[in-house]
Amino acid sequence: MDLNHAYYLVHVVEKQGFSAAARTLGIPKSRISRQVKTLEETLGTRLLNRDSRHMSLTEAGEAYYRHAKMALDCMVAAEAAVRKDKNALEGAVTLSCSVGVAQFALSRILPRFLAENPRVVLRLQASNDFADMIGDGIDLAIRGHVKLLPDSGLIQRRITDVPWHLFGSPGIAQQIGAGASPTDLDGQPGLALGWRPGGGSWSLQGPGESTASVPFAARIRSDDMVSLKEAAAAGLGVVALPAYVCAADVAAGRLSRLLPDWTAGLPEISLLMHERRGNPPQVDAFAAFLRRELPDVMDGGGNG
């Protein structure tokens, strides 16, 4: 096995094209193309479907890429294990998470990790759509979920539970009253997370395991939590968001928590990683850092 061939193929897949891989590696595109072609000829099968605009892995290519990535990661780990400076982490980590987690949680802790590890490069894919961890070359993913995640062959590590609360402007809080119940929200416009059209309702859990479902008409639908927070602070409606997302605004008096005896959900936050030995040291170190630091950021309370 020529690891150079595997190295070039993995870069083509992760950069989603020969041109992007060539720019990243700083070598001619023709060299990468020759290496991949030689690999396919050696294996006697096509690994990539490609035309002038699109590229995708064949079934054989998927299998080869998965194992080649493991082999290359093991080589990186082997090199790191014998470096003279064993305490210095070096290399790239690719992390996937939602936009909200990136904006309101990771932004508070990532600078510290990167400052402590100046030779680590972070690639952060922030999107509200789930990424293909294998196809996109992602090392770690932070996922929020209510039910168990499907068995995907990935290792799942629990980070914490995140309470969601209802928030509105101080004016709306005064309007519904301090001792309000879910029925007092009837007629209040809603601000919905998620841009796609459809019905809306708040599913609430209260004292003594009581539950309530409160339908609302959505005034705004958006994937952007910042826009929803600003709209809520302006008195445009009621929004359900993670407590840690709104903690600073509540402390500043821009937002008020509504129905303080009720929550709007308690999803679990998990860290997903590949089920394989020989993860690069920087990936394992970053995973441990996230599991250690994120619970304090996402505890739903203060700003520390």
Side-chain angles (χ1 to χ4, degrees):
M1 176 181 178
D2 188 336
L3 282 178
N4 282 326
H5 295 155
Y7 177 78
Y8 289 125
L9 178 76
V10 167
H11 269 78
V12 169
V13 173
E14 293 185 348
K15 300 305 177 185
Q16 299 182 349
F18 287 85
S19 297
R23 286 194 298 270
T24 300
L25 297 173
I27 61 176
K29 175 183 172 182
S30 58
R31 182 191 302 178
I32 299 179
S33 181
R34 284 196 303 269
Q35 292 280 351
V36 172
K37 183 179 179 181
T38 300
L39 176 61
E40 291 178 323
E41 291 173 349
T42 302
L43 296 174
T45 187
R46 190 174 72 255
L47 302 177
L48 295 173
N49 295 315
R50 50 193 184 271
D51 56 31
S52 59
R53 293 188 176 183
H54 303 288
M55 185 208 74
S56 63
L57 284 165
T58 65
E59 185 176 351
E62 287 275 6
Y64 186 89
Y65 166 78
R66 184 167 61 251
H67 291 288
K69 180 79 164 97
M70 293 179 190
L72 291 170
D73 286 346
C74 286
M75 292 301 296
V76 172
E79 182 180 344
V82 297
R83 284 184 180 274
K84 292 182 180 179
D85 187 3
K86 294 184 177 63
N87 295 322
L89 297 174
E90 182 175 0
V93 181
T94 303
L95 172 68
S96 172
C97 69
S98 69
V99 175
V101 168
Q103 290 178 327
F104 298 104
L106 292 179
S107 62
R108 294 163 57 184
I109 62 175
L110 288 185
R112 177 154 42 90
F113 179 84
L114 294 174
E116 293 171 355
N117 301 281
R119 287 149 66 176
V120 172
V121 174
L122 176 64
R123 301 169 183 151
L124 178 59
Q125 190 249 15
S127 171
N128 292 332
D129 296 325
F130 280 13
D132 178 357
M133 290 186 64
I134 294 177
D136 292 336
I138 292 169
D139 300 306
L140 304 168
I142 299 171
R143 296 286 180 255
H145 54 100
V146 176
K147 300 179 181 179
L148 289 176
L149 291 171
D151 184 4
S152 60
L154 299 170
I155 297 173
Q156 179 178 326
R157 295 285 185 258
R158 180 183 178 277
I159 294 179
T160 190
D161 294 330
V162 174
W164 285 51
H165 299 157
L166 293 179
F167 298 95
S169 67
I172 288 182
Q174 185 176 12
Q175 178 183 338
I176 66 173
S181 67
T183 56
D184 294 310
L185 293 177
D186 290 344
Q188 290 289 346
L191 307 171
L193 183 62
W195 63 270
R196 290 181 173 83
S201 63
W202 296 299
S203 296
L204 308 178
Q205 297 82 44
E209 298 185 357
S210 57
T211 61
S213 179
V214 182
F216 63 85
R219 185 89 183 271
I220 297 176
R221 292 185 175 276
S222 175
D223 282 339
D224 179 28
M225 291 185 179
V226 174
S227 298
L228 295 176
K229 280 203 314 170
E230 292 301 314
L236 296 180
V238 175
V239 67
L241 288 173
Y244 72 90
V245 168
C246 297
D249 296 272
V250 172
R254 299 182 70 247
L255 286 175
S256 296
R257 181 181 171 186
L258 310 178
L259 308 188
D261 293 331
W262 296 76
T263 62
L266 191 66
E268 181 176 319
I269 302 295
S270 295
L271 181 67
L272 302 184
M273 54 198 308
H274 296 285
E275 188 174 4
R276 63 174 185 256
R277 295 181 179 179
N279 272 325
Q282 71 274 13
V283 173
D284 286 338
F286 189 50
F289 175 82
L290 293 175
R291 295 181 65 196
R292 183 175 66 249
E293 300 294 333
L294 277 178
D296 287 341
V297 176
M298 295 179 156
D299 67 358
N303 307 306

